[in-house]
Amino acid sequence: MAGSRSSDGEKERRSSVNSSRWKNETMKVILTDPQVLDCYICCVPLSVPVYQTVDFQWKLWIMIKIKEICRSFEQLLAKIVECENGHISCSSCCSKVHNKCPSCSLPIGYMRCRAIEKVLESIKMPCQNSRYGCKTTTNLNQINEHETLCPYQPCSCPLSDCSYVDSAEHLGSHFRKRHQDSAKSISYNSRFTICLNSDDKYCIFQAENDGVLFVLSYSFETFGDAVTLKRIGPRSSEKKFCYDIKAKSHGNVLSLLSVAKEIQRWTEDPPSKGSLLIPNEFFGSSSAQTILEIRIWPSR
């Protein structure tokens, strides 16, 4: 009997040690199927509150039998919280499906799933742009929002024969070292002139002081030529750049004042609504070049 009591005491001691071990520590785990933490209906990462299906007839019967079966309400609490099928959903989807589970047709949206909520609140995820310099770690349900606005979004080299991808800052350094002759060096707030031939599709500019890259797209349309300036950088960039483009010919002037749109990868997209449209014959039928005056500056 003494040995038995000693064994029981040792088990309790070990249990107490193991229990306190994790109180002030974090534990790294491997999630083999991240989709298990997505809402079954909208497939978006779950966020608190999370609801599960519940059979109201079963729940009502349990409530009626509480006094008959059990003296302590706490003993039955687990049975009430656990549902019959256990399907879960984010709160926004409950109203979309009219509080009817699409899996089993049981009511959903009336019972919180506290276990899953605890798991969600404890999960922290690093930004997928950590390889490009981002050090942000955030909750699972906020990671998509952060990555959409992350200042370290990967940007691709605008040259088609270069596969370099990195943050906008590192991309500027890469371009200056490897492709310096492929871009026109510019200074902010200084007007410069470029001449585009009929077979030109784009022209790259790089700012002298901070290395920011700009791409001037040039496309031929039915009624004229469309010219657009874009900046290679993250969508969340707080620093915006304004520009104006002027086309002059025989005393006539076409001008566009706009803000450069941020892109992470340059492609030959059709002209956007922010393009300068230069009508056919504007420079004369004998001209094979398009001459433009451009000025770029950081917005305040």
Side-chain angles (χ1 to χ4, degrees):
M1 293 296 292
S4 176
R5 286 196 297 270
S6 176
S7 176
D8 292 343
E10 179 66 17
K11 289 181 179 179
E12 291 179 2
R13 187 187 69 79
R14 291 180 179 179
S15 176
S16 176
V17 170
N18 291 335
S19 176
S20 62
R21 176 183 178 186
W22 305 108
K23 285 183 178 180
N24 298 316
E25 297 182 14
T26 59
M27 180 175 60
K28 293 183 178 180
V29 298
I30 298 175
L31 192 61
T32 58
D33 184 10
Q35 292 183 350
V36 299
L37 298 179
D38 291 349
C39 174
Y40 177 78
I41 301 173
C42 65
C43 300
V44 172
L46 288 165
S47 59
V48 177
V50 178
Y51 291 94
Q52 57 186 341
T53 55
V54 55
D55 188 333
F56 274 108
Q57 292 181 347
W58 174 80
K59 181 181 178 181
L60 181 61
W61 181 85
I62 290 291
M63 295 297 292
I64 294 174
K65 295 294 181 180
I66 284 179
K67 293 183 180 180
E68 301 176 9
I69 300 176
C70 184
R71 294 179 181 178
S72 173
F73 178 77
E74 286 77 11
Q75 295 178 8
L76 248 172
L77 186 58
K79 294 183 180 180
I80 296 174
V81 172
E82 293 293 333
C83 72
E84 184 176 357
N85 293 324
H87 300 124
I88 59 177
S89 165
C90 63
S91 58
S92 61
C93 279
C94 293
S95 58
K96 295 178 182 177
V97 297
H98 305 290
N99 296 99
K100 185 176 182 180
C101 179
S103 299
C104 61
S105 299
L106 289 179
I108 194 169
Y110 305 99
M111 179 176 287
R112 299 275 291 275
C113 187
R114 299 291 185 178
I116 291 295
E117 290 181 1
K118 283 286 188 182
V119 172
L120 295 175
E121 290 172 347
S122 67
I123 293 178
K124 303 289 184 181
M125 291 189 65
C127 175
Q128 66 176 354
N129 299 325
S130 58
R131 70 182 72 176
Y132 305 118
C134 184
K135 300 184 183 302
T136 299
T137 300
T138 185
N139 293 332
L140 175 66
N141 63 305
Q142 297 175 339
I143 194 66
N144 287 344
E145 180 181 358
H146 164 76
E147 290 176 350
T148 300
L149 302 175
C150 179
Y152 292 91
Q153 287 176 342
C155 299
S156 301
C157 183
L159 297 180
S160 58
D161 57 349
C162 181
S163 58
Y164 184 85
V165 178
D166 209 328
S167 65
E169 181 179 356
H170 291 161
L171 178 61
S173 300
H174 156 81
F175 203 92
R176 181 168 285 167
K177 293 178 181 178
R178 299 294 181 91
H179 313 296
Q180 185 174 8
D181 296 336
S182 298
K184 178 178 178 59
S185 182
I186 65 169
S187 298
Y188 293 135
N189 266 316
S190 296
R191 192 172 296 278
F192 57 93
T193 302
I194 63 168
C195 298
L196 298 173
N197 298 314
S198 58
D199 56 346
D200 290 335
K201 294 183 179 179
Y202 68 99
C203 184
I204 301 173
F205 309 135
Q206 185 167 31
E208 292 179 349
N209 58 338
D210 56 11
V212 175
L213 291 169
F214 301 89
V215 180
L216 183 77
S217 301
Y218 187 68
S219 60
F220 300 95
E221 306 301 322
T222 304
F223 301 103
D225 305 329
V227 183
T228 307
L229 184 74
K230 297 180 181 179
R231 175 210 170 185
I232 297 182
R235 290 187 293 269
S236 61
S237 178
E238 296 181 357
K239 191 175 184 180
K240 303 296 182 180
F241 292 88
C242 301
Y243 69 92
D244 68 57
I245 303 177
K246 290 183 178 180
K248 300 179 180 179
S249 177
H250 306 292
N252 298 318
V253 179
L254 295 175
S255 179
L256 171 67
L257 175 63
S258 186
V259 177
K261 178 183 177 182
E262 292 85 7
I263 58 172
Q264 292 73 56
R265 181 183 181 87
W266 182 81
T267 56
E268 295 184 32
D269 296 328
S272 62
K273 59 182 180 181
S275 301
L276 174 65
L277 183 62
I278 305 173
N280 295 327
E281 308 298 332
F282 179 79
F283 291 101
S285 58
S286 60
S287 177
Q289 289 185 328
T290 298
I291 303 175
L292 301 173
E293 291 184 4
I294 303 175
R295 182 170 64 102
I296 304 173
W297 68 96
S299 62
R300 300 294 181 183

